[in-house]
Amino acid sequence: MTNNIKIVSDSSCDLLALSGVPFASVPLHILTASRDYTDEAGLDIDAMLDAWKASPGETGTSCPNVAEWLDAFGQADSVFAVTVSGALSGSYNAAVCAARQYAQQHPGRRVWVLDSRSAGPELVLLLRRLRDLAVSGCAPEEIAAAAAAYQTQTQLLFLLSSVQNLVHTGRISALKARAVGLLGVRLLGTADGEGRLALISKARGEERALTELAAQMQARGWRGGDVVITHCRNAAGAARLKTQLLALCPGCRVTLLPARGLCSYYAQEGGLLVGFEGTPAAQAQAAARAAMLCSVHMAGATA
């Protein structure tokens, strides 16, 4: 039973559906000089990428507004919303504002907003955990605490052959991104503890880069836990990484997904994003994070 629970995320999650529970995805927008691409189910991502390559110029992204978040919450008694990193987007702040309005409009209902401090496949892991907790019949407060604790175990790595859009929008410095995309150089990076993008290393050629990525996962505590790989027009690279991971930990669960609009815009052609379960953080850190989520990010709680 889900106890009238709904799970909501912005479109950085790369999911359009989440089986077993009511789910909604709030679209972000990819902006060019001539068009606003709404990151929703009908978006032709290949056409978007091709149009962007054919017409270079000023581009960017914009987050959902408060009204769009409110509409996504629907009529659920308990809502769990997960957003792209608040350090990279205003989506989190808009969701928090919407949660407050929702609680004012519907006394007794509650919304928890979780800043993923990440994007793409790490959100998939968080959303799946929320779903599993909801269908198991946990109370909303228990779901919130358990999801916050689980977030201390999940991590993100990315492997890119181009960082033009990340540099253009200020997500990565131009100095650190030098040489990426030249002579087959790939950039390997992560989302740091504050949700900003951080460079780890550079590798020449995709095969060497995939091996380094798998090694970084192991160094960060991956021991066969769940993995989600999203890709921008690089299904072959995602499949090769999956093969490497299965060789390291036979029987592990690795999910491959195409990136939606927002992650495709930033990952660009050939990009891979990997969310995985790593080493659990210290118990005190997990408890502190859970308390922060429940006390600060919950709207509509009774006194």
Side-chain angles (χ1 to χ4, degrees):
M1 297 295 292
T2 58
N3 299 317
N4 197 19
I5 289 171
K6 187 173 186 179
I7 298 174
V8 182
S9 180
D10 58 39
S11 61
S12 72
C13 70
D14 287 331
L15 290 177
L16 289 167
L18 188 64
S19 63
V21 292
F23 174 75
S25 173
V26 187
L28 289 102
H29 297 261
I30 300 93
L31 310 174
T32 69
S34 60
R35 184 171 172 182
D36 176 347
Y37 293 91
T38 302
D39 192 7
E40 57 190 359
L43 176 62
D44 187 334
I45 295 171
D46 286 333
M48 180 193 78
L49 292 170
D50 291 340
W52 171 76
K53 288 168 63 177
S55 303
E58 290 296 319
T59 62
T61 59
S62 67
C63 66
N65 59 39
V66 173
E68 289 172 313
W69 278 107
L70 275 171
D71 184 62
F73 294 163
Q75 297 297 317
D77 293 329
S78 299
V79 179
F80 294 90
V82 184
T83 77
V84 66
S85 174
L88 303 176
S89 170
S91 186
Y92 170 74
N93 288 333
V96 169
C97 290
R100 291 172 180 156
Q101 289 190 27
Y102 191 78
Q104 292 171 355
Q105 295 169 4
H106 306 284
R109 297 181 184 177
R110 292 182 280 186
V111 179
W112 287 262
V113 180
L114 180 63
D115 180 350
S116 73
R117 301 187 182 184
S118 189
E122 190 172 356
L123 270 73
V124 176
L125 293 173
L126 296 172
L127 292 166
R128 285 178 173 175
R129 180 54 60 96
L130 283 167
R131 183 267 316 278
D132 292 346
L133 291 164
V135 299
S136 71
C138 291
E141 294 80 5
E142 296 172 330
I143 295 172
Y150 177 67
Q151 190 183 10
T152 66
Q153 303 174 35
T154 61
Q155 301 183 50
L156 175 76
L157 290 171
F158 56 84
L159 186 64
L160 308 179
S161 57
S162 174
V163 292
Q164 178 180 349
N165 288 341
L166 287 170
V167 171
H168 173 72
T169 55
R171 269 63 177 185
I172 289 179
S173 75
L175 180 62
K176 291 182 178 180
R178 288 177 60 187
V180 176
L182 300 177
L183 302 176
V185 173
R186 302 293 193 273
L187 180 148
L188 178 61
T190 187
D192 66 16
E194 299 303 317
R196 295 181 293 265
L197 300 183
L199 173 66
I200 298 174
S201 64
K202 298 173 185 176
R204 190 180 301 276
E206 186 167 79
E207 289 306 315
R208 182 177 297 178
L210 291 175
T211 299
E212 172 63 17
L213 195 160
Q216 283 289 338
M217 290 173 62
Q218 291 183 300
R220 292 162 185 266
W222 180 72
R223 299 293 184 268
D226 283 359
V227 179
V228 178
I229 304 170
T230 61
H231 66 89
C232 178
R233 297 209 280 203
N234 191 6
R240 286 196 293 272
L241 178 58
K242 178 178 180 177
T243 297
Q244 286 195 28
L245 297 179
L246 288 172
L248 292 169
C249 294
C252 66
R253 184 170 72 163
V254 182
T255 303
L256 306 183
L257 296 170
R260 289 179 59 184
L262 183 89
C263 287
S264 291
Y265 170 79
Y266 283 114
Q268 295 187 244
E269 185 121 13
L272 298 175
L273 295 89
V274 184
F276 62 98
E277 297 174 344
T279 303
Q283 185 175 2
Q285 180 182 352
R289 186 146 191 169
M292 178 182 71
L293 178 72
C294 293
S295 63
V296 178
H297 301 161
M298 184 177 72
T302 57

